Amino acid sequence: MSLPDSPARQIARPVPLRQSVYEAILDMIVERTLRPGQHLVENELAVMLGVSRQPVREALQWLKNDGWVDLRPGHGAFVHAPSVEEADQLLAVRALLETESARLAATHATDEDIKQLREVCRQGVAALEADDLASMVAANADLHTAVAQFSGNRVLVELAAQVDRRVRWYYTPIARQRGEQSWREHAALIDAIEQRDGDQAARIMREHTEHTRRAYLASTAANSGGAAIDDEIEPRHRQAR
């Protein structure tokens, strides 16, 4: 019997172990369980994850290629510690993407979409009141992802997804600090989207992302014991406005 000419149905394959290890280590980095600058010991990670050293070694190489881990000859692997400029550049790009997403969402979001945004906002406020950091960060990411999806622009959705994990990484240490103010800004954003006011939605999102940028830079300066790091970046932002 001859085989049909139509393309064969692909058989699902299990995820390679090294990919599962990659995702597990990356999650710990994003959640700050593994902190920037922390030494990553293969044996310890292997025991923690219940695997051999080989997939850990492969995963660390992948993480290095993606900019999450630094490999230092003779010293080993370390969680990447982003520079001020590096963080600022990513948060600036994030602001551009999400400001446009908010503007478009005011035109394209359905009543059901807006209902979903309000539910995510409710979950975020509940997580804040419960002091549940992981749920706060997750709800924040879910809301921003939803706004991008409701923009109706697939390219924006894809680009926003590319920076999502790094935004979570930067947001986690300031989630409590931003706290109630952040969720008030989210609520105002949803109101603007519901009112179909694209300019207002864009303005709120632009200011919201700027508040997050400043909070992250201030937190970094305080933790490093340095001077106001924001002063190093502000002149360039003033010129760009």
Side-chain angles (χ1 to χ4, degrees), residues 1 80 92 108 111 128 140 143 147 151-152 157 160 181 198 205:
M1 182 179 68
H80 178 65
H108 294 93
D111 291 344
L128 174 65
N140 181 77
L143 190 141
V147 171
S151 73
V157 173
Q181 179 62 33
M205 181 65 92

Side-chain angles (χ1 to χ4, degrees), residues 23-38:
E23 292 293 336
I25 297 174
L26 181 52
D27 283 345
M28 288 190 285
I29 291 173
V30 172
E31 294 165 2
R32 301 271 173 156
T33 302
L34 298 173
R35 303 188 65 80
Q38 182 171 340

Side-chain angles (χ1 to χ4, degrees), residues 2-8:
S2 62
L3 295 175
D5 294 333
S6 58

Side-chain angles (χ1 to χ4, degrees), residues 99 102-103 106 189 192-193 197-206:
T99 295
R103 185 183 70 79
L189 171 66
I193 292 173
D197 190 336
D199 290 341
Q200 175 74 343
R203 182 188 65 78
I204 292 171
M205 181 65 92
R206 184 169 55 251

Side-chain angles (χ1 to χ4, degrees), residues 41-55:
V41 181
E42 287 182 8
N43 281 340
E44 294 177 357
L45 289 170
V47 171
M48 180 187 302
L49 299 174
V51 298
S52 67
R53 291 178 59 183
Q54 184 60 30

Side-chain angles (χ1 to χ4, degrees), residues 22-131:
Y22 172 98
E23 292 293 336
I25 297 174
L26 181 52
D27 283 345
M28 288 190 285
I29 291 173
V30 172
E31 294 165 2
R32 301 271 173 156
T33 302
L34 298 173
R35 303 188 65 80
Q38 182 171 340
H39 187 202
L40 301 174
V41 181
E42 287 182 8
N43 281 340
E44 294 177 357
L45 289 170
V47 171
M48 180 187 302
L49 299 174
V51 298
S52 67
R53 291 178 59 183
Q54 184 60 30
V56 170
R57 186 177 299 113
E58 294 172 352
L60 290 177
Q61 182 61 56
W62 282 11
L63 289 162
K64 183 261 184 185
N65 293 341
D66 291 343
W68 292 100
V69 166
D70 297 327
L71 298 181
R72 304 174 190 171
H75 297 280
F78 296 80
V79 177
H80 178 65
S83 67
V84 174
E85 185 73 9
E86 178 184 343
D88 184 69
Q89 288 180 1
L90 182 127
L91 293 173
V93 169
R94 179 241 189 169
L96 293 173
L97 294 173
E98 298 202 7
T99 295
E100 181 64 6
S101 292
R103 185 183 70 79
L104 293 174
T107 299
H108 294 93
T110 66
D111 291 344
E112 188 61 31
D113 294 338
I114 293 166
K115 182 179 178 181
Q116 181 179 331
L117 289 174
R118 294 212 181 275
E119 173 57 22
V120 175
C121 192
R122 184 198 65 77
Q123 293 172 6
V125 172
L128 174 65
E129 293 173 347
D131 194 31

